Amino acid sequence: MNSHKGPIRKIEEALKAVHRRGEDFLVSASWNEKVMRAVRSIAVQPAVSRFDPAGYGRLVWRFSAATCLIALALAAYAVTSDLSTASSVTTLFFEDPIGVDLVHSLGIG
Amino acid sequence: MAAGITEAPSGQLFRTTRAETITICRSDHSERRDSRVDHQSVEPDDARIIQRVLSGEVNAFELLLEKYRGMVFGIVLKHVPHESAEDVAQDVFVRAFQSLGGYASRSSFRHWLATLAVRSCYDFWRNRTKNREVPLSSLTEEGQKWLDEALAPQSREAFLEHTARQEGKGVLRYALDRLSAEDRMVVSLIHLDELTVREAAKMLGWGVVKTKVRAHRARREMHRIILEMMERGSKQP
């Protein structure tokens, strides 16, 4: 492609110039009416039927950053505090403080 | 701002202008830079009309429709085929009406509506590439000839005259039709309309990094398509 760089650029420039050229467009006389009809039909719909899944999606994403931050903060707290889930589970498995032989009941002993 | 509107007996004639999208973006940026401009750009009429619409006076929305339809058509006509322009422009205003409650008057209504227009165009191409019910345009013999002539050495005037020919539109359509919806919008906004990456990102609602990466890939893809067209021309007897 490198050997064609010059010609490609030239075509690209020509296409850019084509894009910049204005073109006439005739909007139909009834277009305004059509849009207003659509708008009025939305306006008279009850609010319940105006379910907007995209809007809910946006709402979820809006809170995603805060959720991640909270998760990170909790993880940091768990790492720096004395709470050790792994050691608790190990104690539960091998010291059997509640009197149930978990290791055998799970069939791994 | 209503892109060269001329009254016509059966409707209204719009002329698409390249400057439309750019002006919308740039004006928004200058608003933030200069408080004097910001003050001037505040349109109390819009705020009043929006308030009326929100309080249940639906017919007042027609005032906004009348005021901004030129701008919306100016943007839409740059990005979608003319036969779909009315539907997409209608979608822009319907979306605007539906989201009017969520419109924060921090940015100008004009810019907010322009962003909706660009996103509606993007959705149009996403739906079209997903469904693929419309066949891709083909490169005609005239289009191929136009390409060959564009490569020939010529004066600036001859070059501009050449680009004014209708065949050029066909070649541009052929090339853009081969891009994905994302690439197409990025090529149109950044490479053809010459918006900055930041401006385009804001219009599309993407991150700046994503837009930058996409713009780079899209341009490479566009170059591949152009090369393919050139090679096809050189193979023809």
Side-chain angles (χ1 to χ4, degrees):
Chain A
M1 201 183 294
N2 278 350
S3 60
H4 292 93
K5 234 174 188 172
I8 288 175
R9 285 268 155 82
K10 206 166 176 190
I11 297 287
E12 203 179 24
E13 279 309 309
L15 292 178
K16 238 184 233 184
V18 168
H19 180 76
R20 284 169 195 172
R21 285 203 167 265
E23 258 190 299
D24 290 341
F25 179 77
L26 189 68
V27 178
S28 57
S30 59
W31 184 81
N32 264 27
E33 271 171 50
K34 215 174 124 191
V35 177
M36 283 311 293
R37 250 202 316 273
V39 163
R40 282 186 202 106
S41 73
I42 295 165
V44 294
Q45 278 171 19
V48 179
S49 65
R50 271 192 248 163
F51 174 68
D52 175 18
Y56 286 104
R58 275 195 295 276
L59 196 70
V60 168
W61 283 111
R62 193 170 288 169
F63 288 106
S64 64
T67 311
C68 287
L69 278 176
I70 292 168
L72 277 175
L74 284 175
Y77 174 73
V79 167
T80 53
S81 68
D82 287 336
L83 292 172
S84 168
T85 317
S87 74
S88 305
V89 170
T90 311
T91 308
L92 198 65
F93 260 71
F94 296 104
E95 292 178 9
D96 200 13
I98 53 169
V100 180
D101 197 343
L102 280 170
V103 175
H104 285 109
S105 65
L106 290 171
I108 51 175
Chain B
M1 180 49 88
I5 303 169
T6 320
E7 287 293 345
S10 57
Q12 208 166 23
L13 193 68
F14 290 89
R15 179 178 286 274
T16 64
T17 61
R18 169 187 171 258
E20 199 68 64
T21 322
I22 300 172
T23 314
I24 303 300
C25 280
R26 300 275 147 82
S27 65
D28 179 59
H29 282 262
S30 52
E31 274 170 29
R32 265 180 276 129
R33 273 199 300 270
D34 186 344
S35 60
R36 276 181 303 127
V37 177
D38 190 23
H39 181 70
Q40 283 162 0
S41 70
V42 171
E43 295 182 54
D45 283 358
D46 287 353
R48 256 202 302 272
I49 296 167
I50 291 166
Q51 208 45 55
R52 280 169 61 191
V53 176
L54 289 175
S55 60
E57 203 185 319
V58 181
N59 287 343
F61 189 75
E62 196 160 8
L63 297 169
L64 294 172
L65 177 68
E66 198 58 58
K67 186 174 176 183
Y68 290 109
R69 71 179 202 161
M71 181 206 76
V72 168
F73 269 103
I75 293 171
V76 167
L77 286 167
K78 300 297 290 177
H79 297 287
V80 303
H82 284 195
E83 63 270 20
S84 307
E86 287 195 353
D87 290 340
V88 176
Q90 175 175 336
D91 180 53
V92 174
F93 281 103
V94 169
R95 273 186 187 199
F97 178 75
Q98 283 175 316
S99 334
L100 210 55
Y103 159 67
S105 47
R106 286 190 302 268
S107 67
S108 74
F109 182 73
R110 176 181 290 277
H111 182 264
W112 182 72
L113 199 59
T115 304
L116 279 187
V118 167
R119 290 183 192 175
S120 291
C121 295
Y122 173 44
D123 288 346
F124 170 84
W125 287 114
R126 273 209 305 194
N127 289 336
R128 190 170 268 207
T129 45
K130 214 186 287 170
N131 299 333
R132 272 277 171 248
E133 77 250 0
V134 182
L136 292 176
S137 60
S138 55
L139 191 60
T140 59
E141 212 169 290
E142 288 79 26
Q144 195 66 61
K145 211 169 145 202
W146 182 90
L147 271 174
D148 297 337
E149 285 170 14
L151 286 171
Q154 55 190 324
S155 66
R156 186 77 195 150
E157 288 75 29
F159 175 78
L160 289 175
E161 199 180 304
H162 179 72
T163 57
R165 282 165 42 194
Q166 202 53 40
E167 296 91 310
K169 288 267 172 213
V171 176
L172 181 63
R173 200 175 312 126
Y174 174 87
L176 290 175
D177 274 358
R178 265 134 198 91
L179 295 173
S180 67
E182 288 84 0
D183 287 353
R184 184 184 190 117
M185 287 311 291
V186 160
V187 164
S188 298
L189 291 172
I190 297 178
H191 301 303
L192 300 177
D193 282 334
E194 295 181 338
L195 295 187
T196 65
V197 171
R198 197 171 287 275
E199 287 164 348
K202 210 172 159 204
M203 285 295 219
L204 291 164
W206 296 352
V208 173
V209 176
K210 178 189 172 179
T211 312
K212 208 172 199 172
V213 171
R214 184 60 86 166
H216 178 72
R217 286 191 196 150
R219 194 173 187 204
R220 212 170 44 194
E221 182 62 10
M222 188 72 172
H223 284 182
R224 193 192 60 72
I225 293 164
I226 292 172
L227 182 67
E228 196 185 282
M229 290 192 294
M230 281 161 47
E231 281 175 349
R232 190 188 295 184
S234 61
K235 275 180 200 157
Q236 278 177 2

